[in-house]
Amino acid sequence: MTSQGLIVGGEQIGRSTEQFVAVLKYAVVPESAWNSAAFKSNDVEQILAVADPRAVEIVGAMINDYRPHEFGGLPELVDNIALRKGVIDAMGAICSGGIDADYAEAVVGVPPTVGYLKNLEVLWTPGAGTGKGVLPGDLPFLPPDASWERLPSRSPWVGQAFVQKQDTKLSDALADIDPFRGECAGAFQLAIMSGCLNALGAEKVDALETAFGPAFLGIWSLPEVKTGRLTFTAASRFLTQLHDIPKDYERGSVLAVPGDYIYFQNKDDYPKLSPTGGWRGENCVYMGQDALGGPHYSGMGLAWKTEFALRMFLANAYFTDCNAQYLSDRRAGETPGSPPVIIEDRQAQVRFTKRAIMRYPDIPNDPTPKFSVPGVGPDFSDAEVELRLSQLGKRTDDGKGFVLENQNFGLVLNEFQISQSDLYPPSKSVIGTAELDVALGEWQFSFVPNTPGVTHLSLDDEVDVLAAKMPSRT
């Protein structure tokens, strides 16, 4: 098999006029224009005049790509182009308000939700800034007509993952997503499945549930009941050929094909310095090039950004989130006790790290996987959790959490009576991460492996534990 570029029906496709006329024009020109004189002319310029510009860009990027894009025939290529356009449009809607999506935010009282608020009156209250919330009352997380339910948690503010309800087809559940309040990974997964529904239809979407189990938002993978092996959830199956982006890639260059997944990561120590911070990285769709040839990316909260703009935003978030005490001292007119932490090399330390190629997954004949859904964790009081954290680690600079460094993973689980079945991959991180999260009341724990390249945490591994307390609504 050819190791890169576009292959259709076993043939390597390049930029020759002959291949464009024989193959590619059928992929980039809408079928409604096939009877036009321009399409029948076999003149490339005339054909391009009736072609879909985004389809042309997608095909051109595939031809140039350092990864392979292999299709058994033209219909597969056409479907893939449609899927990519659907995902791009869905992420565009998430970023522009076409889909009512934003981050959950405990500080101002915006709880994690998918579609649950549509029949409730939402008010901005004077107490919102203190964490009392924007809702006039408690949020009914399980209304009888909901299509999604939140994964178990004793806290309305900790845990932002959702699962499709058993009695609802996925195509119907995807019509019941407004409003969405969660994290960027959940929004990306929503864009994948909504884009697939709009581009390829309900039959293709509902086939995902039969093959891969119920859909999840905010969860990349979960243990399979029989084997305990981490298994990708339905939306994650679209992200094929997941790979690292070399550290020395050319900044500002085209790294993907429009519609692909790409992860932009903040400086490595961001999670340690700001466990409650929301900008350890951004799960993005590559949206394509602008009129001057610059690549642009979109993720929830960051729409149509160049790599430079992504870097500036995350670098600013790093300084603000990781220097809470320093900034507080400066605002109070006091001399800070220590210098601020900074990003020394923005291009090297804030960068793209992962990419995956967007593709409708192969539907296997295997039995539908049954996932082990995490529980609610041990019934410790928040005060007891804080006491044990203070004995094992040090408080973060912003006073909102603790960091426990170089800990044995199994011993920490034992100390806090955490079962492995309560753990789940964090929604804030990149797909394929070895990190694990758990909620203990108002506390969110993240276990981060100390060894680079680890893909699965074992009980003997050394980890850093990041614990952050979410604000209370009381």
Side-chain angles (χ1 to χ4, degrees):
M1 174 178 140
T2 304
S3 60
Q4 62 184 40
L6 176 61
I7 305 101
V8 180
E11 180 183 2
Q12 181 79 42
I13 304 297
R15 294 184 174 274
S16 69
T17 298
E18 293 75 18
Q19 287 183 322
F20 181 83
V21 170
V23 180
L24 294 183
K25 74 174 185 178
Y26 295 95
V28 300
V29 176
E31 192 170 354
S32 59
W34 285 5
N35 288 324
S36 66
F39 183 81
K40 294 178 178 180
S41 70
N42 292 337
D43 178 272
V44 173
E45 287 192 14
Q46 291 189 50
I47 295 170
L48 287 175
V50 294
D52 175 2
R54 289 198 298 174
V56 172
E57 182 180 358
I58 288 169
V59 166
M62 288 180 178
I63 292 172
N64 291 339
D65 198 13
Y66 61 90
R67 286 274 168 163
H69 299 264
E70 187 166 7
F71 303 96
L74 192 61
E76 288 183 30
L77 172 60
V78 171
D79 280 355
N80 185 260
I81 293 170
L83 171 65
R84 290 172 176 276
K85 290 165 58 180
V87 173
I88 290 169
D89 287 343
M91 182 54 75
I94 285 171
C95 291
S96 67
I99 296 174
D100 183 4
D102 207 342
Y103 286 91
E105 179 51 74
V107 172
V108 295
V110 181
T113 186
V114 183
Y116 300 171
L117 300 179
K118 62 183 179 181
N119 296 319
L120 297 178
E121 182 183 9
V122 180
L123 301 175
W124 183 265
T125 67
T130 65
K132 292 185 178 179
V134 298
L135 301 177
D138 291 334
L139 183 69
F141 280 114
L142 293 174
D145 61 343
S147 299
W148 303 84
E149 55 186 310
R150 198 167 71 114
L151 265 59
S153 176
R154 290 194 303 276
S155 167
W157 308 111
V158 179
Q160 301 176 14
F162 301 85
V163 60
Q164 169 197 352
K165 288 182 72 172
Q166 292 183 356
D167 58 353
T168 305
K169 291 196 302 183
L170 181 54
S171 57
D172 292 336
L174 290 170
D176 187 23
I177 57 174
D178 282 355
F180 171 78
R181 297 294 182 269
E183 288 289 344
C184 63
F188 191 99
Q189 293 155 5
L190 195 59
I192 290 174
M193 292 185 289
S194 295
C196 181
L197 176 63
N198 295 332
L200 303 182
E203 183 177 350
K204 287 276 193 179
V205 164
D206 292 332
L208 299 171
E209 181 182 358
T210 302
F212 307 122
F216 288 82
L217 300 176
I219 292 285
W220 294 117
S221 58
L222 282 170
E224 207 272 332
V225 170
K226 286 186 177 179
T227 65
R229 184 178 66 248
L230 277 179
T231 301
F232 280 140
T233 55
S236 304
R237 303 280 185 143
F238 285 75
L239 305 183
T240 66
Q241 300 187 51
L242 178 67
H243 61 278
D244 293 333
I245 294 175
K247 291 183 178 181
D248 61 350
Y249 73 87
E250 182 182 348
R251 270 55 179 177
S253 63
V254 174
L255 299 173
V257 174
D260 280 347
Y261 167 86
I262 199 158
Y263 187 75
F264 198 70
Q265 182 173 298
N266 215 329
K267 189 180 175 184
D268 290 344
D269 62 358
Y270 177 94
K272 278 190 183 182
L273 298 176
S274 182
T276 59
W279 295 104
R280 66 171 63 182
E282 181 77 348
N283 292 285
C284 299
V285 175
Y286 172 47
M287 304 293 279
Q289 294 173 272
D290 62 19
L292 300 179
H296 282 252
Y297 310 87
S298 289
M300 189 167 67
L302 293 172
W304 192 247
K305 301 295 185 188
T306 62
E307 180 179 351
F308 174 81
L310 285 176
R311 182 170 290 113
M312 293 303 101
F313 184 94
L314 264 67
N316 287 340
Y318 179 90
F319 188 85
T320 300
D321 295 347
C322 299
N323 288 293
Q325 187 59 52
Y326 173 86
L327 293 172
S328 177
D329 291 343
R330 289 293 301 268
R331 293 186 186 110
E334 301 173 0
T335 301
S338 59
V341 291
I342 62 171
I343 295 174
E344 296 85 1
D345 186 337
R346 289 192 175 192
Q347 290 204 11
Q349 295 174 325
V350 186
R351 65 182 192 88
F352 288 114
T353 57
K354 290 280 188 180
R355 177 202 172 189
I357 291 173
M358 184 64 63
R359 185 161 185 150
Y360 185 84
D362 295 330
I363 302 298
N365 294 321
D366 302 333
T368 304
K370 295 187 182 300
F371 291 107
S372 177
V373 177
V376 298
D379 192 15
F380 279 163
S381 70
D382 293 330
E384 176 65 20
V385 173
E386 184 164 358
L387 175 62
R388 296 191 182 201
L389 287 170
S390 66
Q391 293 169 342
L392 294 173
K394 60 182 180 181
R395 192 175 288 275
T396 55
D397 183 58
D398 61 7
K400 298 178 182 178
F402 289 88
V403 176
L404 285 57
E405 297 184 304
N406 303 317
Q407 300 288 320
N408 177 274
F409 182 42
L411 292 179
V412 175
L413 295 185
N414 184 64
E415 175 68 24
F416 289 92
Q417 300 177 22
I418 298 169
S419 168
Q420 287 183 274
S421 63
D422 294 328
L423 300 167
Y424 54 91
S427 59
K428 290 183 179 180
S429 292
V430 63
I431 183 175
T433 180
E435 297 180 26
L436 292 169
D437 278 7
V438 69
L440 303 186
E442 298 289 343
W443 287 88
Q444 179 85 40
F445 279 49
S446 294
F447 299 92
V448 181
N450 279 345
T451 305
V454 169
T455 58
H456 179 74
L457 275 176
S458 67
L459 293 177
D460 294 328
D461 285 334
E462 294 292 310
V463 297
D464 291 333
V465 185
L466 316 177
K469 188 175 183 181
M470 299 296 105
S472 171
R473 264 193 90 204
T474 58

